[in-house]
Each structure stands twice: as structure tokens, then as C-alpha cells.
Amino acid sequence: MSDPRPIGVFDSGVGGLTVLREIVRRSPAESTVYLGDNARAPYGVRSDEEVLAFSTQSLDLLAEREVKAIVVACNTSTAVAIGALRRRYDLPILGVIRPGASAAALATRNRRVGVIATPATIRSHAYFSAIKDENPAVEVYEHATPTLVPFVEAGELSGPTAEAAVADALAPLLGERDAAGESIFPRPPGATIDTLLLGCTHYPLLRSIIEAQVGEHVAIVDSATATASALAELLGINGLEADPDADATHLQLTTGDAGTFHVLASRLFGSAFPEVEQVELAVAAT
Ligand code: DGL
């Protein structure tokens, strides 16, 4: 038995395309429908109520498109809303926090992991709890970096302004002190992180800048590969895999401007994903 229905993939904007890319690599026979709520990104600086309401509207739309499973490729939505979303739909719903946390806990050698993410994700401490579940001995240094998502949504993935923003965002995790000279994370001298977890699906698009700034001694981990593997496993367990010889189709939906979305998507996928459709989201019934 095979199941030709698509997998729904959701993010507030273009960040989830980094997860979609890994899903397509890992499961090339699977069709996908991606929804970016670009018109209302960023989510990470919004209240939990707004994140829940917007995520619900978005997943309602994907569910209407007859998907067989949904990947919430947004850490903010996963952190705030995954429980409510799982209760709402009769579909397997996969988030990005557990796969990323597990990858980071396995990557660290000195048991010190830094996490950068949106304010809503950091406020939830979802990464702290998930990494501690994997290995309670790991010290987790969480840091909100609200300035980075707008660069990615604007397609500004390189250049001095983006580099300066990344440097500012990372300084408290890499150095001992913040801009005001205060120590952010009390720790013994020399006890620096050896693993940086990109806890927002937008951040891998800034990876080359981040890599240059953290240096070669800090491993950079994100959720994309681990989430794609978890999805493949989930499809297998549930008997939802597509025919391995199927011709997969990929549809991209955005609440924002289809042209802008297409430019960003093309940077990641080349011309392989030509179709972008603009959609409006209906208000979700609670
Ligand atoms: N890409 C999302 C995340 O992983 C959200 C970014 C945002 O909209 O603030 O958290």
C-alpha cells in the first residue's frame, strides 16, 4: 500500500523552506504543499495567543488540502502550539524542536550548548527542556535573537549589515559579556559552548555568516536534517509512504507576495519549484 497524498509543511515565512529542502532530499518520492504565512511574519515577536491563532489558521488550510501529515517547520509555532495543533487534527503532526534538541545533545562534547531562537521560542524554554530530556548533564544557554528573521524575510542573506546583526546577536553567547558589559551567562572562565543550535528555521539561511563568526571549534546544528529523518520514520510507521517510483509534485503557498517568495525559494531550490500561489487565511474556529 502506498499513499500519494502530499505532506503539508508550514512556517511563518521562508524559513521552513530549509526543512522542506531536507525533506525533499530524504524522501524524493513524497509530494509536498508548503505554506508560508509571510504576510504576518515574524511570529517570534508576537504573543503566544497570536502565534497559536495564526498557526491554527495555517494548519486548517493545509488540512483542507488533504495532506497526510504536517510538519510544523517553525520553532516558534512548535514551541507555543504543537500540543494544541496535535489535539485539533486527525493527522500526524511533527514539530522541529525535539529533532533539533536531540541532534544538539548528541553533537556536544563539552556538554555546553548555545541556542539562538526567536523571543517566543526562548520564552517557552522548549529547547532547554528538550535538550535536558536528552541529556540532563548538558548546560543549555538560551538566547533570543529577534533581529535576524527580518533579514531573511527580506532576502538579505549576506553583506555588512547582516554580518553586523549576526555579530551582535551572537556576542552574548560567544563572549562573556553583553553590550553593556554585563555577564549574561554566569559560568567558569573558559567554559564556552562547543555547539550552537539554530533554533529558528530561518537561521540556516544565514549559516555562512554564522559559521564565519563562531569559528571552527563550535559545531552548528539545526533541525532540518533530523526533522526530515523523523518524518521518514513517521511515514513508515504509519504506512503513509508514497510509491517509491511516484513523480512527486511540490506546491508553494504564501499569504505574502508570490514574486518575493519565489525569488527566495529559487535561491534554495533553483528552478525546481516554479509554482507559488498566493492564498488568504480564514479565521480559525476555536
Ligand atoms: N522560522 C520560524 C521559527 O523557526 C519563525 C520566525 C518568525 O516568524 O519569527 O521560529
Side-chain angles (χ1 to χ4, degrees), residues 68-158:
K68 61 185 172 186
I70 294 178
V71 178
V72 180
C74 176
N75 290 272
T76 307
S77 296
T78 303
V80 171
I82 195 83
L85 297 171
R86 284 190 172 134
R87 286 191 291 276
R88 186 174 175 88
Y89 307 98
D90 203 8
L91 289 169
I93 312 264
L94 186 64
V96 281
I97 288 191
R98 290 222 160 252
S102 165
L106 287 172
T108 183
R109 289 283 163 270
N110 73 1
R111 294 181 300 281
R112 292 189 184 92
V113 173
V115 181
I116 53 171
T118 68
T121 301
I122 296 299
R123 193 166 66 228
S124 76
H125 297 302
Y127 268 115
F128 182 90
S129 309
I131 294 171
K132 288 284 187 188
D133 277 355
E134 292 289 328
N135 181 352
V138 174
E139 288 172 35
V140 183
Y141 302 99
E142 297 177 287
H143 181 49
T145 48
T147 56
L148 303 185
V149 167
F151 281 96
V152 178
E153 283 293 308
E156 202 175 328
L157 309 182
S158 58

Side-chain angles (χ1 to χ4, degrees):
M1 272 290 285
S2 60
D3 190 329
R5 291 176 297 162
I7 294 154
V9 182
F10 160 66
D11 181 41
S12 63
V14 292
L17 291 171
T18 59
V19 179
L20 179 68
R21 180 173 54 181
E22 293 309 316
I23 292 172
V24 173
R25 269 192 200 140
R26 179 75 170 73
S27 305
E30 298 295 341
S31 294
T32 63
V33 180
Y34 181 94
L35 172 61
D37 190 8
N38 301 70
R40 298 187 293 193
Y43 278 17
V45 291
R46 294 183 181 275
S47 67
D48 288 1
E49 290 72 24
E50 273 183 313
V51 172
L52 175 59
F54 294 174
S55 304
T56 306
Q57 290 170 4
S58 301
L59 264 69
D60 278 3
L61 184 141
L62 287 173
E64 277 166 22
R65 300 255 172 169
E66 308 266 315
V67 295
K68 61 185 172 186
I70 294 178
V71 178
V72 180
C74 176
N75 290 272
T76 307
S77 296
T78 303
V80 171
I82 195 83
L85 297 171
R86 284 190 172 134
R87 286 191 291 276
R88 186 174 175 88
Y89 307 98
D90 203 8
L91 289 169
I93 312 264
L94 186 64
V96 281
I97 288 191
R98 290 222 160 252
S102 165
L106 287 172
T108 183
R109 289 283 163 270
N110 73 1
R111 294 181 300 281
R112 292 189 184 92
V113 173
V115 181
I116 53 171
T118 68
T121 301
I122 296 299
R123 193 166 66 228
S124 76
H125 297 302
Y127 268 115
F128 182 90
S129 309
I131 294 171
K132 288 284 187 188
D133 277 355
E134 292 289 328
N135 181 352
V138 174
E139 288 172 35
V140 183
Y141 302 99
E142 297 177 287
H143 181 49
T145 48
T147 56
L148 303 185
V149 167
F151 281 96
V152 178
E153 283 293 308
E156 202 175 328
L157 309 182
S158 58
T161 322
E163 282 167 20
V166 170
D168 270 2
L170 293 179
L173 273 180
L174 300 176
E176 294 288 325
R177 309 201 171 267
D178 70 8
E182 296 296 321
S183 177
I184 300 255
F185 302 113
R187 59 193 178 205
T192 53
I193 60 166
D194 74 350
T195 301
L196 177 67
L197 175 51
L198 307 185
C200 171
T201 53
H202 281 67
Y203 298 171
L205 287 154
L206 296 168
R207 193 180 178 114
S208 55
I209 303 183
I210 295 172
E211 250 166 18
Q213 298 199 7
V214 299
E216 60 188 14
H217 299 301
V218 176
I220 296 177
V221 174
D222 67 57
S223 297
T225 314
T227 301
S229 299
L231 174 67
E233 199 178 326
L234 179 154
L235 294 176
I237 290 168
N238 288 282
L240 292 172
E241 289 157 310
D243 179 337
D245 298 324
D247 276 336
T249 60
H250 302 284
L251 174 63
Q252 295 179 98
L253 310 174
T254 175
T255 58
D257 180 67
T260 311
F261 188 96
H262 189 257
V263 169
L264 280 165
S266 305
R267 283 204 203 177
L268 283 170
F269 293 104
S271 54
F273 285 74
E275 214 178 329
V276 183
E277 194 183 304
Q278 197 185 28
V279 290
E280 290 204 3
L281 289 174
V283 175
T286 48

